[in-house]
Amino acid sequence: MEIIQHLIDGFGYALLPVNLLLIFAGVTIGIFIGALPGLGSINGVAIVLPLTFLVPPESAIMLLAAIYYGAMYGGAISSILLGIPGASTAVATTFDGRPMAVQGRAGLALLAAAFASFVGGTISIVLFTAFAQPLADIALKFHSQETFALVVLAFTTFVGLGSDDLMKTIIMICMGLVLSTVGFDLISGQPRLVFFDLPGFTGGVSFLILAMGIYGVGELLWTLDQSKASPVLTTARLRWRDIVSGLKELMGTWRTMSMGSILGFFVGMLPAAGATPAALMAYGVAKTSSRNSENFGKGDVRGVVAPETANNAASTGSMMPMLTLGIPGSPTTAILLGGMVMWGLTPGPMLFVEQPAFVWGLISSLYVANVAAVLVNIGLIPMFVWSLKMPFTVLCTVVLFLCIIGGFAANGRMHDVWLIGIFGIIGYLLRKVDYPLAPLVLAIVLGPVMERSFRQSMIASQGDVLTFFERPISAVFMFIAIALFLMPVVRAIRDSRKSPQAAE
Amino acid sequence: MRNWISRRVTIALLMAGGVMSALPAAAEGWEPTKPVELVIMAGQGGGADRLARLIQAIIQKEGLTSMPVVPVNKGGGSGAEALLYLKEKAGDSNVVMATLNSYYTTPLRSDLGVDIKDFTPIARLAEDTFIIWVNAESPIQTLDDYVAAVKEAGGTWIMAGTGTGQEDSLVTAMLEKEFGIDFTYVPMDGGGDVATALVGGQAQSTVNNPSEQMGFFEAGKVRPIAIIASERLASLPDVPTMAELGHPMDYKMQRSFVAPAGMPAEAVAFYTDLFQKVSESEEWQTYAKEEGLLTNFEAGQPLQDYFLVERDKHAAILKELGE
C-alpha cells in the first residue's frame, strides 16, 4: 500500500508540465543518439549531464533517464534499416531485423522493435516497483561463481540446439574469445595480445567496432557481391492498416516477449552484466526454445522482439542496483550515479529512506518515459522507412560514412576506423564460407565477463573447480548448461545410429 | 535526415554549454583561445571520470572560462594512452589532464618513454584515503582482531580490490609486509564491484576509499577498522588511524591536474587560478565532504616535488611486489 502511495506522489511530480516536457525531449534526444552508430546512451547522458545544474535534481534525473531509455529504443533503428548496430545493446537486433528490412518488412520490424521495447520496459518497471529491495539482496548474493555459470549457460544456448553447423559455431566462439583477451588483463595487470605493439590494442578490441565492421561494412560488401551491378531495392510502406495487422502479429509473440522481459530484467540487475549480454542471451533463448528455430537469422520477427524486450528491461534492471545499493549496473548508470553525487545526493541503501521524492519521482517517470518513447518512435517510423527509398548506390555510401564516423566517435581513435575496415573484410569472407557471425559477437561480449569470473572464482577457492557445483544457484545453471550442450551430441549419436540402418 | 537532426541536437547542446560558460569571464590576462581538452586517464563511468566530469560541470556552471571544457577519455593501457597523448601535445596551451595514481605506476610498469618530470604541474584538488573494511556481520572489531583473523586463515583470507598493479593491490601488499600476513587477493572491475563483494559476502575484507563504502556504512552493512593515513577523516571521526594503532602507514590517491611539457607561464597561471576557484566553490566543498576527500590544495613547484616523492614511493612498493 505504501508503495502505491509513493507511486501516486511520484506520478504527481513526473506529470508536471515541465517534467513531461523534459521526458519527451529526453526520449527524442535518446532515440536519435541511439540510432547513430557509435553513439549510445552513455554519450548522450555524458553530454547533457553538465546542463542538468539548471533544474532541480528530481527533474534532472528524469531527463537523463529518459535519454537512457530513448537510446534503447533508438538503437534498433539503424540495426534494422542499415544493418549497422545503432548501439552496442542493439547488436542482436541486426540478426533478424536486417533480413526483415531486406525482405521489405522494415516497417513491421521497426514496429516490432518499438512495441517490444515498450513491453519489456513496462514489465521490468512493474517488477522494479514491486520488488526493488528484496531483488537487490538477491543480486548481492550473486558471486563470481554464479556469474560464470550464467555466462556458460548463455554460450550453450547458442551452441546447443543451434541449427547452424555446430563445429563452425564453436570455431566462431573461440575466435571471439581470443579477441576478447586483447588488451590489459585485470587479474595479472599485464598486457596481452597487443598486436604489432600498437597502442590502440592496449585498450582491447571494442565489440561495437567488431559489430560495425562485420555487420556494417561486411554486409555492404556482401550485398554488393550478391547483387553485382543491379542492386535490389527494398521498398517498404507503412500504413495504418499495416500497423493494426502488425500489432496483431506481435500479439502472437507474447511468450517471447515475456521471456525477454524477465530475463532482461534479471541480467541487467547483475553488476557484471548489462543490456548487451541480456539482449544476446534473450536472442539465444528465444531461438533455442522455439519449435521452428531455423527461421531465426532469416527475418523472424521473434528475433527482433526477444533482444528488444530484453535490452529495455535490462536498462531498467540496471537502475535497481544504482538506486538500492549505489553501484552501477552499466557504464551509463555509472554516469547517472556521478550526477546524483553532483546534485548532493548520497547513492546507496539509504536513498529510498532519505530521498523518497527523488526515487519515486524517477520510478514514475520511467512509466511516463516508456509511453513517451513508444509514441515518439512510432510517429517517426514513416520517416525512417521513407529513408530506405534511397537508391542502393546512395545508401551504400551512407552506411560506410556512418561506420567511419561512428567508429571514430566512440573513442576518438583512427585505430578503430582501420579495425572496422579489417573486420568488414573478415566478416564478408566468413559469410562467403557460411560461418555464423552471431556467436563471434556473443563471445567478444561475454568473453571478458566469463574469463574474469572464472579466474576470480579460482583464486577465491584456491583452485578448486568444484566450487561451481557447491553453490546452489551456480550448480543449477551449470547442470542446465551441460544438458543443453550434450543435446546436439546425443542427437548426433542417435542420428548416426539411424543412418547406417537407413543405408542398409 | 536522422543524422542531420541529431547532429543539430548535439551542436545545440554543446552551444548551450558554451553559452553558459561564456557569461562572466572572470580571469584577466591569458585566456584559452579554443575549447580546452580535459584528458581523463581512465574510461567512462569510473571514479576518475566522474570526478573530472564534476569539475567540468563546476567550471561551466560558475562560468570560469570563456571556452567550453571538453572531457576526453583516454583510458587505454591503464592510462598509457593518455600519457603518450600528453607527451605528444608538448607546448599546447589548451590541454590539461586529470590524474590518479596510475600517473606514477603506469610509466613505472611499462616502458612508455614518458617521464612525468617533464609535464607541467597545475593543481592538486584532493587526496583520497584508504580504509580497511569488513562486513558488519563479522565479529572483527579492532585492527588486532583483524590481523589475528587473517593469520588464522593461513593465506586463504579473501581481500577483494581493483586490478593487479592498481592502488588497492599496492595497499594490500603494504599490509602483508607490515603485519607479516598473507591474503588471497581477488581483483575486480572497479571500486563499486569491490564494495558490493564485501556486502554480499564474496570478500572478507576490502581497502575501499571512504566514498565507495559510505552508502553501505550508513546502512549498517560494513564496519571500518582503520584508516591507512596519519590523520582521521572528518566524515568518519571514530575510525582510528594506523599511526594511532602503532603502525605508521600512509597511502593516498591523488586527484590532480597536469599539463603538457613547456606550457607557457601565463597559461599555467590561468589554469592554476581556475582550479583554485573550483576548489573554493561550494559544489566542490560539498562533494569533497560527502565523499570523505582530503581537500589539501597544492600547486606549482611544491606539487611537482610531491609527484616525484610519490613516484619514488610507488617505485619502492612495486619493487617490493616483484614487478
Side-chain angles (χ1 to χ4, degrees):
Chain A
M1 273 311 98
E2 201 191 344
I3 288 178
I4 292 174
Q5 186 53 47
H6 278 309
L7 205 57
I8 292 171
D9 292 346
F11 271 117
Y13 197 69
L15 293 173
L16 289 179
V18 58
N19 290 337
L20 211 52
L21 193 73
L22 282 176
I23 291 171
F24 266 92
V27 294
T28 313
I29 295 173
I31 286 172
F32 283 107
I33 287 182
L36 269 182
L39 293 182
S41 59
I42 185 161
N43 310 85
V45 169
I47 291 168
V48 178
L49 189 62
L51 299 180
T52 56
F53 268 132
L54 299 172
V55 289
E58 289 82 3
S59 304
I61 190 82
M62 286 182 189
L63 173 68
L64 295 180
I67 294 176
Y68 185 29
Y69 231 76
M72 289 290 154
Y73 277 82
I77 293 164
S78 49
S79 295
I80 292 168
L81 294 179
L82 307 172
I84 326 168
S88 57
T89 49
V91 170
T93 312
T94 52
F95 301 164
D96 279 279
R98 179 62 186 152
M100 282 183 79
V102 171
Q103 295 155 10
R105 293 194 293 153
L108 177 64
L110 287 169
L111 187 68
F115 187 66
S117 297
F118 176 71
V119 172
T122 307
I123 291 181
S124 64
I125 301 166
V126 173
L127 286 174
F128 187 118
T129 313
F131 306 112
Q133 215 65 57
L135 284 176
D137 292 335
I138 295 179
L140 271 180
K141 295 287 168 216
F142 243 74
H143 293 185
S144 52
Q145 286 89 338
E146 279 77 22
T147 309
F148 175 73
L150 183 72
V151 175
V152 171
L153 189 57
F155 273 113
T156 48
T157 57
F158 263 68
V159 175
L161 295 174
S163 52
D164 301 311
D165 187 327
L166 183 63
M167 210 52 221
K168 283 179 174 172
T169 306
I170 292 175
I171 289 174
M172 293 315 286
I173 287 181
C174 292
M175 195 167 132
L177 289 178
V178 170
L179 284 174
S180 77
T181 59
V182 172
F184 259 83
D185 171 32
L186 179 80
I187 308 277
S188 67
Q190 297 299 319
R192 297 185 299 189
L193 291 181
V194 179
F195 298 110
F196 313 111
D197 279 332
L198 285 173
F201 281 114
T202 53
V205 176
S206 149
F207 71 95
L208 187 61
I209 299 297
L210 178 87
M212 279 203 272
I214 60 176
Y215 287 104
V217 178
E219 166 90 18
L220 195 80
L221 293 172
W222 175 254
T223 315
L224 282 175
D225 182 40
Q226 292 298 296
S227 57
K228 300 289 181 251
S230 56
V232 239
L233 247 180
T234 57
T235 48
R237 297 175 67 182
L238 193 72
R239 286 156 304 181
W240 188 240
R241 223 180 325 143
D242 301 325
I243 294 189
V244 174
S245 69
L247 284 177
K248 243 182 232 161
E249 191 176 339
L250 289 171
M251 289 306 173
T253 65
W254 65 271
R255 278 174 47 198
T256 312
M257 285 197 195
S258 9
M259 179 279 297
S261 312
I262 293 169
L263 184 110
F265 181 74
F266 281 96
V267 174
M269 187 173 100
L270 304 174
T276 309
L280 284 160
M281 286 164 79
Y283 184 87
V285 173
K287 184 176 172 182
T288 312
S289 61
S290 86
R291 263 182 232 106
N292 37 6
S293 64
E294 65 278 1
N295 289 344
F296 277 84
K298 297 180 188 119
D300 192 314
V301 74
R302 288 170 303 175
V304 174
V305 165
E308 281 303 312
T309 43
N311 67 20
N312 271 63
S315 66
T316 311
S318 70
M319 285 202 199
M320 212 182 67
M322 173 182 92
L323 287 176
T324 55
L325 303 173
I327 49 162
S330 68
T332 312
T333 47
I335 299 219
L336 289 179
L337 263 184
M340 285 159 61
V341 175
M342 271 168 51
W343 305 318
L345 302 167
T346 311
M350 300 308 283
L351 194 69
F352 267 84
V353 183
E354 286 168 0
Q355 303 283 347
F358 176 85
V359 173
W360 290 98
L362 170 62
I363 294 175
S364 313
S365 82
L366 292 179
Y367 286 94
V368 182
N370 226 347
V371 176
V374 78
L375 290 179
V376 172
N377 201 344
I378 290 182
L380 290 172
I381 287 178
M383 184 182 98
F384 292 135
V385 172
W386 173 81
S387 75
L388 270 189
K389 286 193 177 151
M390 273 187 275
F392 182 74
T393 40
V394 175
L395 194 65
C396 170
T397 41
V398 171
V399 169
L400 199 59
F401 180 73
L402 285 178
C403 283
I404 292 171
I405 299 278
F408 185 76
N411 285 307
R413 296 190 305 206
M414 269 314 281
H415 173 82
D416 291 337
V417 178
W418 297 121
L419 272 187
I420 287 182
I422 295 167
F423 284 134
I425 295 166
I426 294 174
Y428 163 70
L429 293 175
L430 287 172
R431 261 192 99 161
K432 266 268 204 239
V433 288
D434 208 23
Y435 271 82
L437 297 173
L440 176 69
V441 177
L442 179 83
I444 200 171
V445 172
L446 292 182
V449 182
M450 178 161 96
E451 191 205 341
R452 203 184 310 130
S453 57
F454 178 74
R455 289 172 70 188
Q456 284 167 348
S457 308
M458 285 298 98
I459 294 172
S461 70
Q462 317 290 333
D464 181 7
V465 187
L466 290 177
T467 179
F468 299 113
F469 297 93
E470 281 162 359
R471 303 172 53 86
I473 305 177
S474 83
V476 170
F477 286 165
M478 289 303 278
F479 282 121
I480 300 175
I482 291 169
L484 277 175
F485 188 78
L486 289 180
M487 247 149 130
V489 180
V490 172
R491 205 170 25 180
I493 295 170
R494 202 181 51 204
D495 288 353
S496 70
R497 274 208 198 128
K498 265 188 209 155
S499 52
Q501 288 165 355
E504 278 166 14
Chain B
M1 185 67 184
R2 293 175 302 126
N3 315 309
W4 178 77
I5 291 176
S6 51
R7 204 170 307 133
R8 286 285 291 256
V9 170
T10 316
I11 290 170
L13 288 171
L14 287 175
M15 276 170 57
V19 168
M20 273 179 25
S21 54
L23 290 174
E28 285 167 38
W30 188 88
E31 289 249 11
T33 46
K34 52 181 193 175
V36 178
E37 232 183 309
L38 176 59
V39 179
I40 303 166
M41 282 186 81
Q44 284 182 334
D49 181 56
R50 273 158 59 181
L51 192 87
R53 286 175 193 275
L54 166 78
I55 286 167
Q56 177 220 3
I58 294 175
I59 293 174
Q60 297 205 339
K61 192 191 171 202
E62 303 278 315
L64 299 177
T65 61
S66 51
M67 282 288 160
V69 174
V70 186
V72 188
N73 293 83
K74 294 199 181 288
S78 288
E81 193 188 345
L83 288 161
L84 290 170
Y85 182 77
L86 202 67
K87 190 185 176 193
E88 234 172 71
K89 289 278 174 180
D92 197 315
S93 299
N94 295 293
V95 184
V96 286
M97 179 170 86
T99 68
L100 52 162
N101 283 8
S102 52
Y103 185 57
Y104 320 121
T105 50
T106 301
L108 285 170
R109 301 180 81 236
S110 43
D111 186 23
L112 294 175
V114 168
D115 188 348
I116 60 167
K117 205 164 67 190
D118 299 338
F119 294 139
T120 311
I122 299 291
R124 182 184 72 203
L125 263 70
E127 286 181 300
D128 208 347
T129 53
F130 293 81
I131 292 178
I132 303 175
W133 301 89
V134 295
N135 194 303
E137 285 166 21
S138 143
I140 294 168
Q141 300 286 346
T142 65
L143 184 65
D144 290 339
D145 294 351
Y146 177 72
V147 173
V150 178
K151 274 206 176 117
E152 170 98 35
T156 62
W157 185 272
I158 296 173
M159 171 76 97
T162 50
T164 302
Q166 295 179 28
E167 296 79 8
D168 289 9
S169 71
L170 301 184
V171 174
T172 304
M174 287 165 73
L175 287 172
E176 286 184 331
K177 193 181 158 230
E178 179 75 25
F179 294 99
I181 49 181
D182 275 316
F183 293 105
T184 293
Y185 185 79
V186 181
M188 298 193 168
D189 231 0
D193 283 2
V194 176
T196 321
L198 183 66
V199 179
Q202 193 175 350
Q204 290 169 290
S205 67
T206 68
V207 288
N208 278 107
N209 298 130
S211 61
E212 291 162 349
Q213 287 284 12
M214 206 58 101
F216 292 119
F217 171 70
E218 283 169 5
K221 304 247 185 210
V222 292
R223 181 180 305 137
I225 298 298
I227 175 167
I228 302 169
S230 45
E231 65 248 78
R232 290 193 181 209
L233 272 188
S235 49
L236 291 167
D238 299 330
V239 182
T241 68
M242 290 298 261
E244 289 169 31
L245 299 170
H247 297 276
M249 291 175 68
D250 194 359
Y251 184 86
K252 294 194 184 85
M253 164 86 109
Q254 50 97 2
R255 303 286 191 189
S256 313
F257 291 86
V258 298
M263 180 185 261
E266 60 269 27
V268 175
F270 170 82
Y271 289 115
T272 309
D273 182 56
L274 174 72
F275 288 110
Q276 172 103 48
K277 281 182 185 142
V278 169
S279 79
E280 285 159 5
S281 70
E282 199 189 314
E283 286 90 358
W284 172 254
Q285 293 294 339
T286 316
Y287 176 84
K289 201 174 152 214
E290 195 81 34
E291 299 275 288
L293 295 173
L294 299 172
T295 51
N296 30 12
F297 187 85
E298 192 77 88
Q301 193 56 41
L303 179 59
Q304 187 75 323
D305 295 342
Y306 164 85
F307 282 148
L308 297 177
V309 168
E310 283 290 310
R311 181 175 68 173
D312 292 345
K313 209 164 126 186
H314 280 85
I317 303 170
L318 286 175
K319 207 173 154 200
E320 203 68 57
L321 270 170
E323 290 266 346

